[in-house]
Amino acid sequence: TIDYGVVIKINAIDGNYCWIKRYYSGNVNQNSDYYSVPMIKGGVEVNSILYNMGNLIVLPSDQNVIFAINSDSGEELFKIDEGFAEYRRYLIGADTTGYYVAGSKGVRKYPFNNNKMLWQSEIKENFGKGVLSGNTILFPSNQSIYVIDTHSGKKLSILTLNLNKPNIPLGNIIANGTFLISTNIYGINVLNEVDLLINNLTTSIS
């Protein structure tokens, strides 16, 4: 579990603490109720933890740093603290080769075992959240969706949609191979036959 400057590992059988990792949190007010929730936190939008080969990748919502922690000992292995708002505002997802984070300017991929960025894909006019779909990332930009290769970070193509709302960006998107769902403050758009859409309506990027 994670929040308020603390990562805790709890034994699933007896409920005892295995270890406690403390990190600085600029949003914790020591003079106020510990359980009062700040309106705006300084980290990712949702607390996220990934497990890989005995290590944890921790993305806290109350600090703009990614931590790697040994899951057995709680020892900090490394951290990532650059490019937060532009490329690390939220977690898109992960696969066996690494994990994907994104922000206002695009997407980054990091490996599990060190803090060296594997690739960065810059995309302008990003007003929503992308999604991991197979070997690609579908990433919204205004009323278009970029199809990004997860291995190289190359923009493979761009899918342009006509929502009959010229000034409204797509917002957050969800895709499962059959449906593509876009949500924004004005409502929900649902498109079916996603694979057919991507094949027929995309423009290759050279």
Side-chain angles (χ1 to χ4, degrees):
T1 180
I2 173 177
D3 215 345
Y4 294 96
V6 180
V7 183
I8 302 173
K9 181 179 180 180
I10 301 174
N11 189 301
I13 298 175
D14 57 25
N16 291 326
Y17 292 159
C18 298
W19 49 257
I20 299 176
K21 157 76 176 169
R22 299 184 184 276
Y23 60 89
Y24 170 76
S25 172
N27 293 85
V28 176
N29 185 344
Q30 300 295 338
N31 298 320
S32 64
D33 181 0
Y34 178 84
Y35 294 100
S36 63
V37 180
M39 293 300 293
I40 299 176
K41 292 187 174 184
V44 295
E45 295 181 5
V46 178
N47 286 320
S48 302
I49 298 179
L50 302 170
Y51 176 84
N52 179 264
M53 303 291 289
N55 295 333
L56 302 176
I57 301 296
V58 180
L59 298 88
S61 64
D62 55 358
Q63 191 176 6
N64 59 4
V65 174
I66 298 175
F67 295 98
I69 299 174
N70 182 285
S71 64
D72 291 326
S73 65
E75 175 190 4
E76 181 181 318
L77 304 175
F78 59 84
K79 64 182 179 180
I80 301 169
D81 57 7
E82 83 288 351
F84 168 66
E86 295 84 2
Y87 294 98
R88 292 193 296 106
R89 187 62 186 171
Y90 66 93
L91 174 70
I92 292 180
D95 56 27
T96 58
T97 65
Y99 59 98
Y100 308 88
V101 289
S104 62
K105 291 187 178 179
V107 185
R108 282 181 177 175
K109 179 180 181 179
Y110 289 96
F112 290 106
N113 59 354
N114 63 62
N115 60 356
K116 305 299 181 184
M117 180 177 63
L118 294 175
W119 54 254
Q120 174 176 301
S121 184
E122 183 174 348
I123 297 176
K124 299 179 180 179
E125 296 185 320
N126 165 36
F127 302 108
K129 291 183 178 180
V131 63
L132 186 61
S133 180
N135 295 323
T136 62
I137 293 172
L138 305 180
F139 199 76
S141 175
N142 205 351
Q143 287 201 353
S144 298
I145 297 174
Y146 282 90
V147 181
I148 302 171
D149 179 65
T150 56
H151 178 71
S152 65
K154 179 182 178 181
K155 302 180 188 71
L156 301 175
S157 56
I158 182 170
L159 168 62
T160 301
L161 304 176
N162 180 10
L163 302 181
N164 297 318
K165 299 175 181 177
N167 297 320
I168 307 302
L170 279 172
N172 301 339
I173 59 173
I174 302 169
N176 66 1
T178 301
F179 296 100
L180 187 149
I181 302 172
S182 164
T183 63
N184 55 42
I185 60 174
Y186 292 93
I188 300 174
N189 299 288
V190 180
L191 303 170
N192 60 9
E193 301 295 341
V194 173
D195 293 335
L196 184 63
L197 278 171
I198 292 176
N199 290 333
N200 293 344
L201 298 181
T202 53
T203 302
S204 297
I205 300 175
S206 57

